[in-house]
Amino acid sequence: MEQSQVRRRLGSTPQERGSRNEASCPDIFELADGRFAVIGTDMTGDLRGQLPPDAGVASYERIVVISRETLLHAKRDIPDF
């Protein structure tokens, strides 16, 4: 995978959302190349078998879960197109 740089955070900081330590800090970032990076809980093992038949997870991919609050706070910063 090519290297990219973090351009900006989407939404509020974890501390602004109530995180009091570094152990629970889901986050969403826009990368300089237009992709998005997500910090969340790796739930690949739990959710892989529940995906619809037309979805898959490559060996280099993970299913990452973030809180609803994290995504809703980021919504204002996600472009429509």
Side-chain angles (χ1 to χ4, degrees), residues 2 14 19-20 23 49 59 73 75:
E2 64 186 73
S19 178
R20 299 292 176 230
S59 62
H73 276 257
K75 182 180 176 184

Side-chain angles (χ1 to χ4, degrees), residues 7 24 28 43:
R7 184 173 148 210
S24 176
I28 303 172
M43 297 288 292

Side-chain angles (χ1 to χ4, degrees), residues 10-20 24 26-28 65-76 78:
L10 301 181
S12 307
T13 68
Q15 291 74 24
E16 290 170 328
R17 293 189 315 270
S19 178
R20 299 292 176 230
S24 176
D27 228 329
I28 303 172
V65 175
I66 59 173
S67 68
R68 177 180 178 84
E69 180 181 26
T70 300
L71 186 58
L72 293 179
H73 276 257
K75 182 180 176 184
R76 69 175 185 248
I78 299 172

